[in-house]
Amino acid sequence: MKKILIAASLTVFLVACGAKSADNMAKYSLKLDIQDAAKKTELISASKRVAERVLESMGKTAQKENLDTGKADPVLTFTLPDAASKKTLDDVLTSGFKFRIMEEAPVATADITVEQKAGSIGFRETGITEKDLEWVTAAPMPGSAKAEVRLDFTQAGRDILAMVFKQNQGKTIGIFVRNKLVSSMAVNKVKPEDVIIISNVPSMVIANIFADDVNVGLHTQYVPVK
């Protein structure tokens, strides 16, 4: 009888540990919508870095992590300190990505208003969304310790962007990621633009983080695996 009790207790213990481990394990199939081999390889690594930064922003560290690239869709796995961390990570990684190029507009008719030192400035939709952005590249600025990021658009995006620049001479356009203004620029070129370069980024580290975040948002879907 004593042996049976010990065995039963051990079984309960193992089941309990298994349940806890499952609750703490965040596992994602990475669905990539890009075909270029070099960009795909870069995107897989960036997808892992983005997830790690989300954990870092939560003040959490994965107890174990693994990236399996041997499948058609890579599988990213984290063993986390607690179930609450897994839920938060799931919520962040599976939330939709939103990108907008917006034009300056009167506050009264604006779609979004941003508070700045000089006062409020309004922006309204131009029609350029994440569907029109193709890729973001970070690079050092020549002769400077600062960096820049280049935003390359699809052909449809370039057509709209050229029209936006043409119609907003002397005004400001804003670049919004997840409804937050990340950069604004004055439109003062006669020739319409078909790319946007954000200059004077404080460092390559920040430029690379921005590029990772946007490229992953554009091209990676984190699908939870049970």
Side-chain angles (χ1 to χ4, degrees):
M1 178 65 70
K2 187 175 182 180
K3 290 182 179 179
I4 294 175
L5 288 175
I6 291 173
S9 299
L10 181 60
T11 300
V12 171
F13 175 75
L14 290 174
V15 170
C17 286
K20 183 177 180 182
S21 177
D23 288 343
N24 293 0
M25 184 174 290
K27 190 173 184 179
Y28 308 97
S29 177
L30 304 180
K31 306 290 186 181
L32 312 178
D33 70 354
I34 199 161
Q35 300 303 317
D36 181 273
K39 286 184 178 179
K40 190 171 184 177
T41 298
E42 183 178 343
L43 194 60
I44 291 170
S45 297
S47 298
K48 180 173 178 285
R49 291 193 297 268
V50 166
E52 289 170 338
R53 289 183 190 120
V54 173
L55 287 173
E56 184 180 351
S57 72
M58 294 160 51
K60 302 291 183 178
T61 301
Q63 297 170 342
K64 186 178 180 181
E65 60 183 76
N66 181 64
L67 177 59
D68 182 359
T69 59
K71 303 180 183 299
D73 295 320
V75 176
L76 178 62
T77 307
F78 294 100
T79 302
L80 302 175
D82 49 66
S85 299
K86 176 185 180 301
K87 185 180 185 309
T88 301
L89 185 63
D90 280 351
D91 290 344
V92 174
L93 295 182
T94 60
S95 62
F97 178 75
K98 191 173 183 180
F99 173 90
R100 294 290 186 274
I101 298 291
M102 305 184 78
E103 62 188 6
E104 184 181 347
V107 171
T109 59
D111 294 315
I112 191 168
T113 301
V114 177
E115 299 298 328
Q116 298 183 329
K117 291 182 179 180
S120 300
I121 179 170
F123 291 92
R124 67 180 164 221
E125 298 277 2
T126 62
I128 299 178
T129 72
E130 63 279 352
K131 294 180 181 179
D132 302 302
L133 185 60
E134 197 165 72
W135 194 256
V136 175
T137 305
M141 287 183 66
S144 172
K146 295 184 177 181
E148 62 187 20
V149 289
R150 174 188 171 109
L151 281 61
D152 285 290
F153 295 82
T154 64
Q155 184 57 58
R158 291 195 293 271
D159 292 342
I160 302 173
L161 187 63
M163 181 179 65
V164 168
F165 268 73
K166 187 175 181 179
Q167 294 177 346
N168 286 277
Q169 292 294 310
K171 297 181 180 180
T172 299
I173 62 170
I175 301 169
F176 289 78
V177 175
R178 296 189 176 90
N179 290 325
K180 295 186 181 296
L181 180 66
V182 298
S183 183
S184 61
M185 59 190 302
V187 180
N188 51 23
K189 295 183 179 180
V190 177
K191 182 181 178 181
E193 294 287 336
D194 59 5
V195 300
I196 287 180
I197 294 178
I198 303 175
S199 302
N200 295 312
V201 178
S203 69
M204 271 301 297
V205 171
I206 294 175
N208 282 325
I209 289 173
F210 179 80
D212 280 354
D213 187 38
V214 177
N215 287 331
V216 169
L218 292 173
H219 299 293
T220 300
Q221 182 183 6
Y222 294 86
V223 179
V225 177
K226 294 183 179 180

